[in-house]
């Protein structure tokens, strides 16, 4: 059995005491007040049962709005069931009738102590109400306990005077019922569902909102097996006692209060925190055409009752979505949309933030107002700035529902399609962008749409179709040579994803550059420089000189991203990593998140390539699983191998299907990386297959330089492992020839190292020494100096120069440890042990810092930001971050504030 809550128990104790007093002849009026659903009727019923147990005779009446037109209807309920008074006539003079009824009541009380219980007296007909008030004046000397319940809830309509308004206070005992406390409500839930968990109980308590009525109805509807979670929509409870109870609560409050309650529910509906920051009272008052002062009072009163609760923003909210949905149930969709529109317009008039208005427009349908589309676009822009892409997409989709001129619709479609393309498994992006390309618009807007559509098509493996789209738009741009250049440049860039058309487009670009350089532009010329670098036809010095000249020339906004991104790629190949970092930052800063562009992903790939060149493994070994191979996955595989996580790399390889992968440069990169994984796992034959296949594909694309993918040296090492040194030498010599064309220490040193490993005798040792001499002091050479030192150590050991070998190998181990290159650390130590030397002691602490790391750490310890350090030392911000990452690892710290103590400890 459910025990009464402390609130109801207090009322029952009071009534029990008053019933005892009545038996001794002292009458009293007890006024039981409370909001709708707080249990007035429950207390009245309990009092009647207690009075009967004490021997009191009970006359009871329950008032109803239907009885208000009948004079003395409530009194007839009280007296009608008494047989001796059944023929009493109630008509004519009210005064005379009231006097007769009083005599009847008095004579009845003379026979036995009496309980007169009237529920909902505020609904009594006027004559009965007056009679009851007048009777209360005279019962203090009679054995009559007059128990009256009255609704006392703050509504929008000002209340009529209460029942005891004109009575002397000494005649009245008043008790106001409080809402359920959370503890009492939770107790009732646990009684009904003993096995319910804490979250489920708490949800029930929130949905009941302190009302015994709502809690009882909710528990009647719920089944903890059928409802493992408390629903947020009343449809899950259909037909449901709970929504019926909420509707009864609204009916009791009256139409004005119902309007405000529903306006608040609509205001909260699907807003996800989009309410304006200012007080919402004036808005609710405007929506419900109510007095703002009364609205403010209602919000306060409902918060005190628990029907509303203060949210994180300080404003009152419904405590559970189920309650809000129940308040809105029965409101037609058209009315909801109209309410949302009214809210949007009211917010607009109050100068609310654009997003607060836009969130309401999401639920209105077209409003056909000129202010709506630009406002939705402003909201989308803000959402994008804050990284909420899904919200931005929702606003732009809604904007497209409004009547729009073609040019505006075209721009919206381009922006929306660009954003939708980034969503997983999106199918809407390409159709939207295709529509944008077809619509009439300014030439620049058509080019932007075409480039965005081409990017999306290329990303889906439809490169040929992308190029066809750009050619079609190109044919309609007579008189706009700058825009034609943009389309030609984009086409060439797209062709990197398709071997069949790549050669054709680069050849055409080269011919145009020879005949009319102005038709190619700076971005096209940069692509030709990059092509020459990949084809082994130019040196790093010449390539960077040409690109710096191009970067210094004026460029239009549409082609500049192509120029900057291409220059960043070549700068990374040339080991100009700080300059490459700056170019990537510049390029990304110029990218619009709502405009799909091929250089955005290219710049992201550049950033990954730069981290790989620096052997910054911490920034690489975090790629998510995917079904298609990407450049990021390739670098992740190599980083996993170098950090000693070959098994994890093998699992990543197993999860990527190459069967459906498009024939692109990213597939070639992945094949190379898979070869690295297989070689590390002890399968040189399988690794060799991957390296040679990568080389075959790269050569077919006229990409032969080792600066792009050093597949020849990797394959040479596999052939050495398989006992085929002559084939290894042939591969290494060819790579050395191509590396010397490019001329960077990294590429030349790598080729010298592998050729030295494959060459026997003194010549092999000399080649290894040349590799170390070239790489040891080379800036930004990544892990190549370590590899070269290990190779030299092996050659020296074989030549019997043990002391020099130990020095090389210990230097290699220290360098590898600073990089976090676990594989190379273990290789250096293993080689040392084979030569009879002890493994080097791992170098950590302040003494292990390089000069650059020490300088950067000192500045950071002084409180300088990464940006300030980069400016002071003329470095890229990424370089500073990488050095600090290595420094933290060596010092065994995690926070910047720990730098100073760690540095001083090692001083």
């Amino acid at each position: 059995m459910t025990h009464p809550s402390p609130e109801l128990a207090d009322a029952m104790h009071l009534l029990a005491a008053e019933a005892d007093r009545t038996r001794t002849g002292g009458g009293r009026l007890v006024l039981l007040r409370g909001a709708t659903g707080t249990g007035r009727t429950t207390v009245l019923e309990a009092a009647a049962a207690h009075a009967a147990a004490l021997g009191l005779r009970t006359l009871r009446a329950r008032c109803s709005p239907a009885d208000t037109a009948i004079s003395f209807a409530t009194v007839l309920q009280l007296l009608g069931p008494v047989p001796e008074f059944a023929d009493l006539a109630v008509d004519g003079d009210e005064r005379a009738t009231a006097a007769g009824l009083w005599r009847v009541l008095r004579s009845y009380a003379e026979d036995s102590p009496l309980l007169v219980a009237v529920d909902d007296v505020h609904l009594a007909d006027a004559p009965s109400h007056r009679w009851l008030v007048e009777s209360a004046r005279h019962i203090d000397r009679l054995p009559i306990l007059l128990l009256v319940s009255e609704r006392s809830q703050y509504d929008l309509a000002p209340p009529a005077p209460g029942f005891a308004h004109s009575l002397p206070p000494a005649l009245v005992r008043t008790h106001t019922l409080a809402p359920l406390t959370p503890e009492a409500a939770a107790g009732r839930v646990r009684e009904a569902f003993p096995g319910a968990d804490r979250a489920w109980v708490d949800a029930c308590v929130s949905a009941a909102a302190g009302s015994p009525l709502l809690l009882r109805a909710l528990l009647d509807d719920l089944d903890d097996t059928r409802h493992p979670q408390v629903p947020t929509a009343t449809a899950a409870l259909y037909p449901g006692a709970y929504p019926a109870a909420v509707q009864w609560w609204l009916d009791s409050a009256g139409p004005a209060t119902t309007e405000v309650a529903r306006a608040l529910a609509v205001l909260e509906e699907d807003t996800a925190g989009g309410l304006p920051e200012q007080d919402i009272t004036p808005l609710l008052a405007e929506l419900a055409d109510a007095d703002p002062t009364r609205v403010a009072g209602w919000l306060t009163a409902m918060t005190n009752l628990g029907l509303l609760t203060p949210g994180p923003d300080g404003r009152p909210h419904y405590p559970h979505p189920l309650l809000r949905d129940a308040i809105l149930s029965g409101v037609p969709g058209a009315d909801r949309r109209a309410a949302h529109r009214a809210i949007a317009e009211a917010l607009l008039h109050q100068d609310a933030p654009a997003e607060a208005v836009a969130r309401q427009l999401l639920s209105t349908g077209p409003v056909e107002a000129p202010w709506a589309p630009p406002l939705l676009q402003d909201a989308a822009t803000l959402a994008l700035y804050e990284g909420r892409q899904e919200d931005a997409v929702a606003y732009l989709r809604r904007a497209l529902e409004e009547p729009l001129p073609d040019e505006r619709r075209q721009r919206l479609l381009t922006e929306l399609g660009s954003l939708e393309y980034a969503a997983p498994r999106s199918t809407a992006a390409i159709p939207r962008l295709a529509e944008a390309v077809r619509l009439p618009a300014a030439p620049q807007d058509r080019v932007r749409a075409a480039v965005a559509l081409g990017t999306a098509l290329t990303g889906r493996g439809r490169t040929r179709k992308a190029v066809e789209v750009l050619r079609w738009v190109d044919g309609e741009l007579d008189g706009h040579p700058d825009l034609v250049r943009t389309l030609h440049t984009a086409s060439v860039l797209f062709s990197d994803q398709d071997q069949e058309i790549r050669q054709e487009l680069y050849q055409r670009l080269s011919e145009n550059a020879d005949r009319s350089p102005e038709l190619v532009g700076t971005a096209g010329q940069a692509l030709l420089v990059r092509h020459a670098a990949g084809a082994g036809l130019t040196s790093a010095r010449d390539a960077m000189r040409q690109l710096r000249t191009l970067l210094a020339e004026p460029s239009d906004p549409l082609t500049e991203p192509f120029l900057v991104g291409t220059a960043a790629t070549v700068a990374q190949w040339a080991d100009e990593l700080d300059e490459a970092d700056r170019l990537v930052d510049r390029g990304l800063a110029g990218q619009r998140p709502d405009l799909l562009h091929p250089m955005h992903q290219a710049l992201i790939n550049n950033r990954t390539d730069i981290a790989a060149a620096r052997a910054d493994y911490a920034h690489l070994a975090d790629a998510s699983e995917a079904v298609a191979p990407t450049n990021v996955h390739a670098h992740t595989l190599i980083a996993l191998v170098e950090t000693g996580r070959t098994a994890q790399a093998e699992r990543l390889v197993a999860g990527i299907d190459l069967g459906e992968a498009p024939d692109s440069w990213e597939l070639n990169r992945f094949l190379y990386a898979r070869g690295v994984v297989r070689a590390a796992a002890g399968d040189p034959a399988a690794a060799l297959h991957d390296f040679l296949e990568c080389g075959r594909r790269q050569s077919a694309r006229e990409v032969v330089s080792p600066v792009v993918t050093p597949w020849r040296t990797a394959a040479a090492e596999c052939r050495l492992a398989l006992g085929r040194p002559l084939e290894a030498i042939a591969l290494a010599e060819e790579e050395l020839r191509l590396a010397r064309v490019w001329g960077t220490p990294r590429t030349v040193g790598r080729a010298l190292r592998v050729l030295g490993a494959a060459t026997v005798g003194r010549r092999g040792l000399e080649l290894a020494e040349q590799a170390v001499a070239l790489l040891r002091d080379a800036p930004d050479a990544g892990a190549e100096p370590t590899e070269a030192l290990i190779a030299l150590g092996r050659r020296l050991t074989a030549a019997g120069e043990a002391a020099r070998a130990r020095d090389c190998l210990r230097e290699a181990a220290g360098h590898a440890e600073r990089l976090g290159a676990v594989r190379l650390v273990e290789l250096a130590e293993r080689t040392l042990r084979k030569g009879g030397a002890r493994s080097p002691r791992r170098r950590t602490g302040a003494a292990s810092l390089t000069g650059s790391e020490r300088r950067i750490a000192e500045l950071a310890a002084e409180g300088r930001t990464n940006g300030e350090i980069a400016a002071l030392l003329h470095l890229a911000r990424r370089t500073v971050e990488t050095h600090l990452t290595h420094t933290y690892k060596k010092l065994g710290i995690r926070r910047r504030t720990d730098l100073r103590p760690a540095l001083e400890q090692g001083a």
Side-chain angles (χ1 to χ4, degrees):
M1 175 180 178
T2 301
H3 299 289
S5 67
E7 296 84 353
L8 296 185
D10 290 344
M12 292 177 185
H13 291 155
L14 168 65
L15 294 172
E18 291 299 328
D20 287 337
R21 182 177 181 276
T22 300
R23 294 173 63 200
T24 65
R28 176 90 77 184
L29 166 63
V30 175
L31 181 60
L32 191 65
R33 306 176 75 241
T36 298
T38 49
R40 299 189 312 271
T41 300
T42 301
V43 175
L44 214 67
E45 295 291 339
H50 183 74
L54 294 175
L56 273 69
R57 301 296 297 275
T58 303
L59 301 179
R60 298 161 63 182
R62 182 170 294 159
C63 305
S64 166
D67 297 333
T68 55
I70 305 172
S71 295
F72 292 103
T74 299
V75 181
L76 287 176
Q77 279 193 62
L78 290 170
L79 304 180
V82 183
E84 53 265 51
F85 305 130
D87 57 349
L88 179 68
V90 183
D91 54 14
D93 182 14
E94 180 182 326
R95 185 183 296 274
T97 301
L101 291 170
W102 168 251
R103 288 192 300 273
V104 170
L105 181 64
R106 184 171 180 173
S107 64
Y108 196 82
E110 290 172 354
D111 184 52
S112 170
L114 183 63
L115 171 66
V116 178
V118 181
D119 199 10
D120 288 339
V121 72
H122 54 283
L123 298 177
D125 62 278
S128 292
H129 195 279
R130 287 189 289 269
W131 183 84
L132 288 167
V133 171
E134 192 61 30
S135 298
R137 295 181 188 278
H138 305 290
I139 61 171
D140 55 326
R141 296 185 179 88
L142 295 173
I144 300 176
L145 175 59
L146 178 56
L147 176 57
V148 173
S149 78
E150 182 178 47
R151 183 177 181 274
S152 59
Q153 184 168 304
Y154 196 109
D155 295 319
L156 267 293
F163 183 80
H165 174 70
S166 61
L167 294 174
L171 296 179
V172 185
R173 288 289 302 274
T174 302
H175 182 84
T176 301
L177 292 171
L180 280 175
T181 64
E183 294 77 15
R188 294 191 181 192
V189 177
R190 290 194 184 94
E191 280 195 50
F193 299 98
D197 61 32
R198 173 70 178 274
W200 199 84
V201 171
D202 289 346
C204 288
V205 171
S206 295
S211 168
L213 167 73
L214 298 186
L215 180 59
R216 185 171 58 252
L218 179 62
L219 295 180
D220 287 344
D221 286 342
L222 289 179
D223 180 327
D224 59 350
T225 58
R226 193 163 57 91
H227 300 103
Q229 292 183 332
V230 175
T232 57
T234 54
L237 305 176
Y238 183 83
Y242 180 85
V246 173
Q247 187 58 51
W248 185 77
W249 178 83
L250 290 172
D251 291 343
S252 300
T257 299
T258 298
E259 282 296 310
V260 172
R262 285 178 170 162
L264 178 59
V266 170
L267 192 63
E268 290 187 9
E269 189 178 30
D270 300 326
T271 58
L275 294 177
E277 293 183 1
Q278 61 264 42
D279 180 19
I280 60 172
T281 301
L283 177 59
L284 289 173
E286 182 177 344
L287 293 171
D289 193 22
D291 179 359
T293 304
R294 297 294 300 176
V295 172
W298 181 81
L299 292 172
T300 301
M302 293 305 100
T303 301
N304 292 337
L305 282 176
L307 269 297
L308 297 175
T309 184
D313 53 10
R315 291 187 296 265
H317 295 263
Y318 289 107
H320 196 275
L322 183 63
L323 177 59
R324 184 179 66 230
D325 189 65
I327 287 172
L328 286 174
S329 66
V331 180
D335 290 354
R336 287 198 196 190
R337 289 191 292 273
H340 280 292
R341 174 170 182 163
I343 292 170
E345 291 175 341
L347 289 172
L348 189 68
H349 296 152
Q350 293 180 12
D351 293 325
E355 239 189 311
V357 183
R359 286 197 175 278
Q360 297 301 322
L361 291 177
L362 292 178
S363 303
T364 63
V367 297
E368 300 184 9
W371 53 265
L375 183 140
L376 286 160
Q377 284 184 278
D378 288 346
T381 300
L382 177 61
L384 274 180
Y385 178 77
E386 295 179 350
R388 294 180 285 109
Q389 187 157 316
E390 289 185 6
D391 288 342
V393 167
Y395 295 139
L396 293 179
R397 285 175 179 167
R398 173 62 187 81
L400 281 175
E401 295 176 8
E402 297 292 331
L404 295 166
D406 283 343
E407 289 197 359
R408 186 160 205 161
R409 176 171 291 277
Q410 192 269 356
R411 289 193 295 273
L412 267 176
L413 284 166
T414 302
E415 294 173 14
L416 178 56
S418 296
L419 292 176
E420 286 178 326
Y421 176 77
R425 297 178 295 278
S426 170
T427 58
I430 290 177
R432 287 198 202 278
L433 292 170
E435 183 182 352
V437 170
R438 289 192 297 268
L439 282 174
Q444 274 199 340
D445 290 331
R446 294 203 67 201
V447 168
R448 289 191 177 98
V451 170
L453 176 57
T455 306
L457 290 168
T458 301
R460 297 291 188 260
R462 300 166 62 187
T463 304
R464 189 171 294 276
K465 181 64 177 177
V467 172
E468 289 175 2
V469 167
L470 267 58
R471 282 176 178 167
W472 176 69
V473 176
D474 176 3
E476 300 185 352
L477 290 176
D478 290 343
H480 296 279
D482 53 336
L483 299 181
V484 171
R485 280 198 302 269
T486 299
L487 293 177
H488 288 178
T489 304
S491 295
V492 173
L493 193 67
F494 293 152
S495 75
D496 283 336
Q497 301 293 334
D498 190 312
Q499 178 177 319
E500 293 183 7
I501 61 175
R502 184 177 187 274
Q503 186 173 0
E504 171 195 342
L505 290 182
Y506 270 99
Q507 182 176 349
R508 186 182 304 164
L509 182 67
S510 178
E511 291 171 354
N512 288 338
D514 290 339
R515 291 196 305 266
S516 306
E518 70 281 358
L519 295 180
V520 172
T522 55
Q525 293 177 55
L527 284 173
L528 288 173
V529 172
R530 190 191 70 171
H531 183 267
L537 301 176
T538 186
S539 67
R541 183 189 299 273
D542 287 345
M544 289 306 300
R545 178 183 53 76
Q546 293 177 67
L547 286 171
R548 287 170 182 139
T549 300
L550 293 172
L551 286 165
E553 294 181 15
S555 61
D556 64 82
L558 285 176
T559 57
E560 184 179 13
F562 297 102
L563 171 61
V564 172
T566 303
T569 298
V570 177
Q572 179 263 311
W573 290 348
D575 285 338
E576 300 284 353
L577 301 186
D578 287 349
E579 185 168 356
D581 254 331
R582 288 191 290 271
L583 288 167
V584 169
D585 289 341
R586 172 180 164 184
L588 289 175
Q591 289 286 305
R592 283 177 48 183
D594 58 344
L595 196 60
L596 192 59
H597 196 283
M599 287 315 300
H600 181 265
Q601 187 56 48
L603 289 163
I604 298 299
N605 279 322
N606 280 335
R607 178 156 283 170
T608 304
D609 293 342
I610 294 166
R614 289 190 170 116
D616 187 4
Y617 303 125
H619 286 85
L620 294 171
D622 58 357
S624 60
E625 295 184 1
V627 295
T630 67
N631 183 53
V632 173
H633 288 108
H635 285 305
T636 295
L637 289 174
I638 295 172
L640 289 171
V641 168
E642 295 301 333
T643 53
R645 293 176 281 176
T646 303
Q648 186 177 341
E650 289 179 298
R651 288 194 296 273
L652 181 57
V653 165
I656 296 180
D657 179 16
L658 300 189
E660 300 297 325
D663 183 11
S664 69
W665 67 269
E666 289 191 284
L667 173 59
N668 300 344
R669 281 273 177 92
F670 186 83
L671 286 170
Y672 175 83
R674 189 173 72 175
V676 171
V677 175
R678 287 175 166 176
D683 189 355
L688 178 62
H689 176 273
D690 281 341
F691 294 138
L692 294 177
E693 178 62 15
C694 170
R696 184 190 68 78
R697 289 170 176 268
Q698 291 286 66
S699 299
R701 295 163 59 85
E702 299 180 315
V703 177
V704 298
S705 175
V707 72
V708 181
T709 312
W711 62 269
R712 292 179 186 83
T713 46
E717 290 180 305
C718 291
R719 281 182 166 158
L720 270 179
L722 293 169
R724 294 147 65 182
L726 294 179
E727 295 176 8
I729 290 173
L731 284 168
E733 286 179 338
E734 176 63 10
E735 179 141 324
L736 180 58
R737 183 187 69 80
L738 292 166
R740 282 177 168 150
V741 172
W742 185 243
T744 57
R746 183 196 301 266
T747 53
V748 176
R750 182 195 300 117
L752 286 169
R753 167 177 62 82
V754 176
L755 182 58
T759 304
V760 298
R762 192 68 192 174
R763 177 59 180 160
L765 177 58
E766 291 172 354
L767 290 168
E769 288 175 331
Q770 290 176 34
V772 169
L774 189 62
L775 288 166
R776 181 178 263 144
D777 297 321
D780 288 326
E784 285 302 331
T786 309
E787 298 263 21
L789 285 164
I790 293 173
L792 178 57
R794 284 173 164 171
R795 299 303 309 217
L796 288 169
T797 300
E801 299 185 43
R804 285 185 63 199
R806 284 195 296 274
D807 289 343
C808 282
L809 292 169
R810 284 171 178 157
E811 182 183 351
H815 193 277
E817 186 179 350
R818 289 192 293 274
L819 290 176
V822 175
R823 182 187 70 85
L824 293 178
V825 170
E826 293 175 349
L827 180 58
E829 293 178 349
R830 191 162 58 247
T831 307
L832 270 168
R833 288 194 297 272
K834 284 183 178 179
R838 292 181 180 180
S839 297
R841 189 176 173 185
R842 299 287 176 91
R843 296 185 66 200
T844 57
S848 68
L849 299 180
T850 65
S852 296
E853 289 167 348
R854 183 84 193 193
R855 284 194 301 276
I856 291 171
E858 290 284 357
L859 291 170
E862 292 173 6
R864 307 267 191 175
T865 66
N866 291 358
E868 290 171 342
I869 296 170
L872 281 169
L873 301 180
H874 304 288
L875 297 172
R877 185 188 183 102
R878 174 73 67 175
T879 302
V880 173
E881 293 170 353
T882 300
H883 279 75
L884 283 174
T885 298
H886 294 162
T887 299
Y888 287 0
K889 188 181 300 181
K890 292 178 183 180
L891 298 179
I893 62 175
R894 294 187 177 183
R895 294 183 296 273
R896 210 179 190 94
T897 51
D898 295 334
L899 271 171
R900 176 56 62 198
L903 291 171
E904 291 174 352
Q905 184 177 2

